[in-house]
Amino acid sequence: MKYRLLSMLAVSVMVLANAVLADPIVIKFSHVVAENTPKGQMANKFKALVEERLAGKVKVEVFPNSQLFGDNKVLEAMLLGDVQMAAPSLSKFKRYTKKLQLFDLPFLFNDLAAVEKFQQSPEGQQLLHATEKKGIIGLGYLHNGMKQLSASKPLRVPEDARKLKFRIMSSDVLAAQFKALDAMPLKKPFSEVFTLLQTKAIDGQENTWSNIYSKKFFEVQPYITESNHGVLDYMVVTSAEFWNGLPDDVRAEVKKALDEAIALGNKVAYEKSVADRQAIIDSGRSEVITLKPEERAKWVAVMKPVWKQFEGQIGKELIDAAYAANQ
Ligand code: LMR
């Protein structure tokens, strides 16, 4: 009896010691942008919230500026367990689903409010599951902003872009969009864009005010056309293996922290789309070109036919649902 009691006590002590001494779960969060961006601030807030609420249980290591992985490698790395969370742009999932190509269709959304409305709709929420068959779980959307066109020469009408080389994200829709302009699209990692522009290996690129500002593209691109022709948003993702392996209470707390961090990131996105645009104008380094309605109509006329090319892969009903969010 005494022996039994002693061994039970020993087991309890061991369990307790294990719980106290167990290594924390580590979440490596890899991203490619600067810290002072919607995604950078979201990731840092997520780390702060998790480490405050799950102190000793979960540790978050954030790797900004492509320090750990570029976006073209990060999803592979996630499936191998080398990184647990990331938030690639919605343009970078084509190896895992064709459905998210929806977000790249030019002139689909008028503004971020329409993007938000669609993302929160049942169809938008359903898309967060689009990569699950490939082992990747979408935990939420995060905004960056509407894309603008920057170039070495003024772009006022589509013909101005002819024969120019543009860096694009790894998206076939974006490639088709620039081919429609009779321009030359080049799929390149985000980390290479500044040097490609600076050395004039390419003539232009498309990105948000926040990315153009934080990565100093405006210092090497004399013209930016305020085209708002597409959206650059993110899906925050994790691997199904990691996520489903978390204890239930930890998973719930991590998700709650993420939702709060995303809310902050979205607020930053709205603020930066105004503030970073203004900072670029104030710098005097790049001229911001505002399109006249008749000029804008020409870009729409040339780019919008791209929708038809991808209707089969994305689904017409989904495109219609997204477009309806503009109303
Ligand atoms: C890009 O490659 O231009 C963007 O996806 C970078 C980012 O994550 O905002």
Side-chain angles (χ1 to χ4, degrees), residues 32-33 39 89 92 144 167 169 190 207 211 232 234:
V32 299
V33 289
K39 185 159 56 182
S89 104
K92 295 177 179 170
N144 183 328
R167 176 268 173 173
M169 295 182 275
F190 186 59
N207 231 304
N211 283 349
L232 197 166
Y234 308 110

Side-chain angles (χ1 to χ4, degrees), residues 253-268:
E253 203 61 64
V254 169
K255 178 68 168 68
K256 192 161 161 273
L258 181 67
D259 290 344
E260 288 177 42
I262 286 178
L264 171 91
N266 284 342
K267 192 167 154 281
V268 173

Side-chain angles (χ1 to χ4, degrees), residues 62-257:
V62 180
F63 299 89
N65 294 311
S66 311
Q67 268 167 22
L68 193 58
F69 293 107
D71 275 341
N72 300 332
K73 287 273 168 341
V74 77
L75 296 175
E76 262 170 62
M78 185 174 279
L79 290 172
L80 291 172
D82 293 336
V83 61
Q84 286 67 42
M85 283 175 76
S89 104
L90 291 161
S91 314
K92 295 177 179 170
F93 286 92
K94 84 158 195 266
R95 290 178 54 197
Y96 303 88
T97 175
K98 300 283 183 223
K99 295 276 173 210
L100 291 175
Q101 295 184 116
L102 171 79
F103 290 95
D104 285 337
L105 296 178
F107 297 104
L108 178 64
F109 298 107
N110 293 343
D111 49 29
L112 268 192
V115 177
E116 169 71 18
K117 190 170 158 195
F118 172 70
Q119 287 175 349
Q120 298 312 323
S121 72
E123 291 88 349
Q125 289 294 300
Q126 189 56 33
L127 276 181
L128 290 174
H129 301 285
T131 54
E132 272 176 16
K133 276 197 197 116
K134 299 275 165 87
I136 290 170
I137 295 183
L139 297 172
Y141 293 107
L142 171 71
H143 296 312
N144 183 328
M146 302 304 285
K147 289 180 293 183
Q148 320 302 335
L149 286 166
S150 77
S152 51
K153 58 178 271 205
L155 305 178
R156 291 200 170 81
V157 289
E159 296 78 55
D160 294 333
R162 284 192 68 211
K163 306 290 177 223
L164 298 189
K165 290 193 195 115
F166 286 89
R167 176 268 173 173
I168 57 164
M169 295 182 275
S170 53
S171 152
D172 293 343
V173 177
L174 299 179
Q177 171 193 280
F178 280 99
K179 283 188 188 145
L181 295 170
D182 200 11
M184 285 176 273
L186 285 136
K187 292 179 182 166
K188 293 285 178 188
F190 186 59
S191 54
E192 290 177 25
V193 182
F194 181 85
T195 307
L196 289 168
L197 292 171
Q198 192 184 35
T199 58
K200 303 204 185 328
I202 55 172
D203 306 294
Q205 62 89 45
E206 52 163 26
N207 231 304
T208 61
W209 291 116
S210 155
N211 283 349
I212 294 171
Y213 185 64
S214 60
K215 287 294 176 191
K216 302 192 189 311
F217 299 163
F218 71 101
E219 292 186 0
V220 286
Q221 289 277 265
Y223 301 97
I224 304 174
T225 299
E226 189 163 23
S227 50
N228 290 315
H229 63 281
V231 64
L232 197 166
D233 264 17
Y234 308 110
M235 188 159 91
V236 185
V237 287
T238 185
S239 82
E241 196 180 338
F242 171 74
W243 194 243
N244 296 331
L246 288 176
D248 289 350
D249 57 334
V250 170
R251 191 188 310 111
E253 203 61 64
V254 169
K255 178 68 168 68
K256 192 161 161 273

